[in-house]
Amino acid sequence: MSTSGTSPELDPRLLQWLNLLLQEGSVSRAALHANVTQSAMSHALRQMRAHFGDPLLVRAGRGMRLSARAESLKQPLQQALRQLQEVVAPQPGFEPAAGAHAFRIAMPDYGDLVLAPALLGRLRRLAPQSTLHCVQPSDFDLLQAATQVDLLIGRYEQAPQSLHRRVLWDETFVVIASRRHPRWQADAITLDDYLAESHVLVSPTGVGLGPVDSWLQRQGRRRHVACTFTQFASAARQVAESELVCTLPRRVALGLSRHLALRCWEPPLPLPSHAVVMLWHAAQHRDPRHRWLRQQVVAALRGG
């Protein structure tokens, strides 16, 4: 800031006082507005005169007038201080009903089935001009993915510690079959019943062992997988129209059974539950808009 390149930078408080001096044209009135002593303001004026290499305020009769250099500083200084005030001012609150807002959530299709309908209903009521974008998640680089969406929702057991995390629900499993399945009409199924049928497997990659196959392998048993799908909804539609069976997350299965001719059974084998979590980047944590969105996700899942 120095005109000579040798003076130290001014304390930002001195710039506030300089603005008062330029507006008032008086040391005593500037000191009064700054709530400091006249001698403190006079000392500040001496510092600023040394810095700018200019008297800034000069005697004119019984008062003082601005030098040409001071006149040139007056408007730019006011503008700079206003901009600084905007930077440090408290962040305004988020008004969901005002304006068009775009929200991006990355989640697999069970998130679309379990969360999206209720969340969209809330957004339609509370932020009617908003748009909800549901996109497929990426498991390859969660930190990078978190910079491209508002939220990541899924089974992220190894998420980076730098991402914020909230458990949305603990997921368990059920077995589904068609309501018209000729061999499954009882209220409970045995492991032998289960293994006697052909199965649909939901796998994002179409390969690998799921928790069912891992458990059966340890018991020296196996099931026949007739087909695989990457989407829960596709698997459920195939089951509803065939004699195939499928093991699905409970919330997904119950939701789909309201629209398809499906029935749910408790699995005849011990399957571990897992947490479905919501992840977001630290840069968004305190943003009012983002905080509001997180609140809506939780409220939607609670049926609020």
Side-chain angles (χ1 to χ4, degrees), residues 49-80:
R49 282 170 168 167
H51 178 86
F52 288 103
D54 187 90
L56 299 175
L57 292 178
V58 295
R59 285 286 174 190
R62 294 185 177 181
M64 305 187 81
R65 58 173 294 179
L66 303 188
S67 69
R69 176 72 167 126
E71 287 286 1
S72 71
L73 289 172
K74 190 174 180 180
Q75 185 175 349
L77 180 59
Q78 273 193 311
Q79 183 177 356

Side-chain angles (χ1 to χ4, degrees), residues 249-288:
R250 184 179 301 271
R251 285 195 181 218
V252 173
L254 293 177
L256 289 168
S257 66
R258 289 194 289 267
H259 306 286
L260 298 171
L262 296 170
R263 186 177 173 189
C264 300
W265 286 263
E266 291 298 322
L269 66 163
L271 295 175
S273 64
H274 64 269
V276 176
V277 301
M278 175 169 65
L279 304 176
W280 63 95
H281 200 279
Q284 299 171 305
H285 183 61
R286 298 186 184 279
D287 178 58

Side-chain angles (χ1 to χ4, degrees), residues 193-204:
D193 295 332
Y194 183 77
L195 296 180
E197 304 297 332
S198 292
H199 294 248
V200 176
L201 172 65
V202 179
S203 169

Side-chain angles (χ1 to χ4, degrees), residues 107-110 136-140 154-156 173 200-211 227-232 235 247-249 274:
M107 53 188 172
D109 75 319
Y110 70 73
Q136 287 297 305
S138 169
D139 292 329
F140 300 107
R155 183 179 176 175
Y156 294 113
F173 294 90
V200 176
L201 172 65
V202 179
S203 169
T205 62
V207 297
L209 296 178
C227 64
T228 65
F229 287 96
T230 60
Q231 302 289 315
F232 290 108
T247 306
L248 290 182
H274 64 269

Side-chain angles (χ1 to χ4, degrees), residues 86-273:
E86 290 174 2
V87 169
V88 301
Q91 192 171 18
F94 176 63
E95 297 292 340
H101 313 289
F103 303 107
R104 292 179 61 84
I105 300 180
M107 53 188 172
D109 75 319
Y110 70 73
D112 298 349
L113 296 166
V114 170
L115 173 61
L119 178 59
L120 185 57
R122 290 190 65 84
L123 295 181
R124 293 291 296 160
R125 294 196 310 273
L126 303 176
Q129 301 304 312
S130 66
T131 303
L132 176 63
H133 299 281
C134 299
V135 301
Q136 287 297 305
S138 169
D139 292 329
F140 300 107
D141 188 343
L142 288 180
L143 281 175
Q144 176 64 25
T147 65
Q148 298 171 349
V149 297
D150 291 301
L151 295 170
L152 292 154
I153 294 177
R155 183 179 176 175
Y156 294 113
E157 297 172 341
Q158 303 297 325
Q161 292 295 313
S162 60
L163 293 179
H164 287 271
R165 179 180 187 272
R166 175 167 181 165
V167 175
L168 295 177
W169 72 86
D170 285 315
E171 189 64 89
T172 56
F173 294 90
V174 295
V175 183
I176 62 169
S178 169
R179 292 176 189 166
R180 298 181 295 273
H181 195 289
R183 293 174 294 282
W184 282 20
Q185 295 300 316
D187 292 334
I189 56 172
T190 67
L191 182 59
D192 287 337
D193 295 332
Y194 183 77
L195 296 180
E197 304 297 332
S198 292
H199 294 248
V200 176
L201 172 65
V202 179
S203 169
T205 62
V207 297
L209 296 178
V212 170
D213 300 290
S214 296
W215 185 87
L216 289 173
Q217 192 176 66
R218 291 193 296 271
Q219 309 306 310
R221 309 288 295 271
R222 65 183 298 273
R223 63 175 176 168
H224 173 237
V225 175
C227 64
T228 65
F229 287 96
T230 60
Q231 302 289 315
F232 290 108
S234 299
R237 283 193 292 269
Q238 181 61 48
V239 169
E241 298 171 2
S242 69
E243 295 183 11
L244 298 171
V245 302
C246 185
T247 306
L248 290 182
R250 184 179 301 271
R251 285 195 181 218
V252 173
L254 293 177
L256 289 168
S257 66
R258 289 194 289 267
H259 306 286
L260 298 171
L262 296 170
R263 186 177 173 189
C264 300
W265 286 263
E266 291 298 322
L269 66 163
L271 295 175
S273 64

